[in-house]
Amino acid sequence: MHLAEATWTDADDLETDLALLPTGSTEQHGPHAPMGTDALSAETIASEAAARFDGEVVVAPTVAVGVSEEHRHFTGSLWVSEDTFRSYIRDTVASLASHGWERVVVVNGHGGNTDALREVCGAITRQDDAYAVPWTWFDALDFEEYGVDLGHGGPAETAFVQAVRSDLVREERFDEAATGAGDAFGEFEQGSNLAYDFAEFSETGNIGDPSDGDAQLGEQLLADATESLVALLETVSERDLTRPAHR
Ligand SMILES: [Zn+2]
């Protein structure tokens, strides 16, 4: 059940302790894919998994601005600090838990959010009245199986958007994106990443050639990510939430 579409009385009738909180970003994904790509992917997978799961699941509204300062040189990219992001997630999970939805999976679509999510979900679980665990859709999949790299606004993410919102993909700009793409998420030297901003290693803001994917690949990614999240929900729904005793 999507909270944003339900009434409070609908929510009151629900018998579940499970909630999904989608998180994404609003950041450039090259000249061809929308800035809402990560929020769209997280929200879509959360919706599909909630529909497939055998039982009721609350789907909270998507947190659409994340930890994305590295994209600041590309117009329109928005970001909040890690502190702000963690606080926002923690308070939102606390309000979900106050209604009895105390098992929360944060469904994430943006790589820059992952460290902050792992940290805050640990703090919530240890110190608050909820159990929270982050799940990032592309970390759940093995991209070698699909014959593409994840990239950024590359074949995988672009394919995903082609599958669910093809109107938002500018295929006529794929050549431009391929020409300006970066090779990797940084400038690696002796195991250290020397770059902090995306504009240091990608001219057009993407990594990977978006024309290497298509809507069919996107459908497969959506199906496989949904299956993974449903399996995780089944495990989380049955997990013993008591913390270990002191040794
Ligand atoms: Zn993305």
Side-chain angles (χ1 to χ4, degrees):
M1 191 199 69
H2 288 77
L3 279 187
E5 297 172 1
T7 68
W8 79 266
T9 53
D10 299 333
D12 195 45
D13 288 341
L14 275 183
E15 301 238 350
T16 187
D17 56 3
L18 278 177
L20 298 176
L21 174 58
T23 60
S25 67
T26 300
E27 71 185 29
Q28 66 81 21
H29 275 74
H32 61 288
M35 286 197 270
T37 293
D38 297 349
L40 176 67
S41 57
E43 188 167 304
T44 305
I45 295 163
S47 294
E48 291 280 315
R52 301 265 171 91
F53 180 71
D54 185 19
E56 299 279 6
V57 186
V58 170
V59 182
T62 301
V63 177
V65 177
V67 182
S68 300
E69 191 174 1
E70 72 269 24
H71 294 283
R72 65 201 170 111
H73 299 98
F74 298 89
T75 305
S77 299
L78 305 179
W79 64 90
V80 292
S81 70
E82 292 207 14
D83 279 348
T84 299
F85 184 72
R86 282 191 297 255
S87 296
Y88 196 92
I89 297 297
R90 192 166 183 168
D91 287 356
T92 304
V93 170
S95 58
L96 287 166
S98 79
H99 304 300
W101 307 318
E102 62 189 7
R103 297 171 190 258
V104 180
V105 176
V106 181
V107 179
N108 179 47
H110 172 49
N113 293 344
T114 53
D115 288 352
L117 285 176
R118 184 72 204 167
E119 192 179 333
V120 72
C121 287
I124 289 166
T125 299
R126 290 176 176 130
Q127 296 160 27
D128 299 349
D129 296 322
Y131 175 79
V133 68
W135 176 86
T136 299
W137 75 266
F138 43 77
D139 289 342
L141 304 181
D142 177 3
F143 281 87
E144 278 188 20
E145 275 185 28
Y146 310 104
V148 295
D149 289 330
L150 172 64
H152 175 84
E157 284 188 308
T158 306
F160 192 100
V161 183
Q162 284 174 302
V164 302
R165 281 294 306 272
S166 59
D167 58 307
L168 298 179
V169 175
R170 287 72 163 174
E171 292 186 14
E172 71 280 7
R173 299 185 196 153
F174 279 5
D175 285 348
E176 181 190 346
T179 306
D183 302 324
F185 276 89
E187 276 175 60
F188 294 91
E189 182 69 36
Q190 307 297 327
S192 178
N193 182 1
L194 303 181
Y196 289 98
D197 287 313
F198 219 86
E200 292 176 83
F201 48 83
S202 174
E203 191 57 38
T204 46
N206 54 295
I207 293 171
D209 180 348
S211 66
D212 288 344
D214 55 23
Q216 197 181 350
L217 170 65
E219 296 281 358
Q220 192 63 51
L221 295 174
L222 174 58
D224 293 350
T226 299
E227 187 182 337
S228 169
L229 181 54
V230 169
L232 178 66
L233 269 173
E234 285 164 357
T235 306
V236 168
S237 71
E238 291 165 4
R239 187 176 172 80
D240 178 359
L241 298 190
T242 54
R243 306 310 302 160
H246 187 66
R247 300 294 199 267

